[in-house]
Amino acid sequence: MTIFSIAVDGDVVAAVDNDGLAMLSVHVRGSVTEPHAAVLSCDGTLTAGHADGYRVWLQELQLRAGQVVTVRMGDSGAAVTPAQDPPGPHHGLSPESVATLGRTHPPPGALDVAAARSHARVRPGFSFALDLSNGKGCAVRSDPADEMFQCLVIWTLDWEPECARVQASASSRERILRRERETPAFEGRLFRGDSVTIRCGD
């Protein structure tokens, strides 16, 4: 059993036990079309045999510039957070998780394209810094073509379950609509006892 503890500015907001899970993911994402610096969430799926396998442990929590998210992978820690009901009908994993796992989505329809392009920029750009407890990390400031970023910690039962992957990337709405890959900024791994911190910039 491994517990993933998620804290904001040192205060634990969720802790998830991976026993019985097929996948667990923690997302920190931000967009220039949103006024807040980033959004933090945590979701995952149960192992086969469950009728409704999707679970949410932390629904979207808005973050301010300067706030720090810490994800720690350990044997024990904070009390485990009960799973929440999804905020609405859900038909599988989040888009971030699906993209990371290499699964396919149907091409966006005309309404999806129009909706994606309708949101105006409310910030000129974004920045974030990611640091692993082993000393590796990255610092990213967007260039004019970037509109969004994602930092992801993902654990899967069927891929090296002794560790979790850590990934950071940047992209834009047009690139996503064209189904192009995001620009990678960092790739690493967490093992038991390791942690990663993500500091939200402006």
Side-chain angles (χ1 to χ4, degrees):
M1 180 182 73
T2 301
I3 293 179
F4 289 83
S5 174
I6 308 164
V8 177
D9 293 341
D11 296 324
V12 175
V13 295
V16 183
D17 172 3
N18 69 350
D19 187 31
L21 298 184
M23 190 278 293
L24 174 68
S25 60
V26 181
H27 310 271
V28 177
R29 63 164 185 83
S31 171
V32 296
T33 64
E34 298 172 336
H36 39 271
V39 171
L40 169 66
S41 62
C42 176
D43 64 358
T45 57
L46 303 177
T47 52
H50 298 274
D52 178 14
Y54 179 70
R55 293 291 184 271
V56 175
W57 288 272
L58 182 63
Q59 296 185 13
E60 294 192 339
L61 177 65
Q62 294 182 5
L63 302 173
R64 303 183 306 275
Q67 288 195 290
V68 177
V69 174
T70 302
V71 181
R72 187 177 306 278
M73 182 176 176
D75 296 315
S76 61
V80 173
T81 303
Q84 306 173 30
D85 292 329
H90 201 280
H91 305 288
L93 303 179
S94 65
E96 298 90 347
S97 299
V98 171
T100 302
L101 292 172
R103 303 183 182 182
T104 58
H105 269 314
L111 292 178
D112 297 320
V113 172
R117 290 173 173 165
S118 67
H119 300 287
R121 278 180 176 253
V122 296
R123 296 190 289 149
F126 59 78
S127 64
F128 66 90
L130 181 152
D131 293 288
L132 268 62
S133 53
N134 63 11
K136 298 179 180 179
C138 69
V140 174
R141 179 167 291 278
S142 60
D143 65 33
D146 293 329
E147 293 182 313
M148 58 193 69
F149 74 89
Q150 176 183 229
C151 299
L152 177 69
V153 178
I154 185 164
W155 173 89
T156 54
L157 180 63
D158 60 357
W159 187 90
E160 298 187 13
E162 71 277 7
C163 68
R165 285 168 282 176
V166 180
Q167 300 173 342
S169 60
S171 191
S172 69
R173 286 172 288 181
E174 291 302 321
R175 290 178 62 187
I176 290 175
L177 291 173
R178 293 195 299 265
R179 304 171 71 84
E180 296 177 1
R181 290 184 61 84
E182 65 276 7
T183 301
F186 180 81
E187 291 189 0
R189 296 182 184 182
L190 291 183
F191 294 88
R192 287 191 181 187
D194 290 344
S195 63
V196 57
T197 60
I198 303 162
R199 181 180 298 274
C200 301
D202 49 14

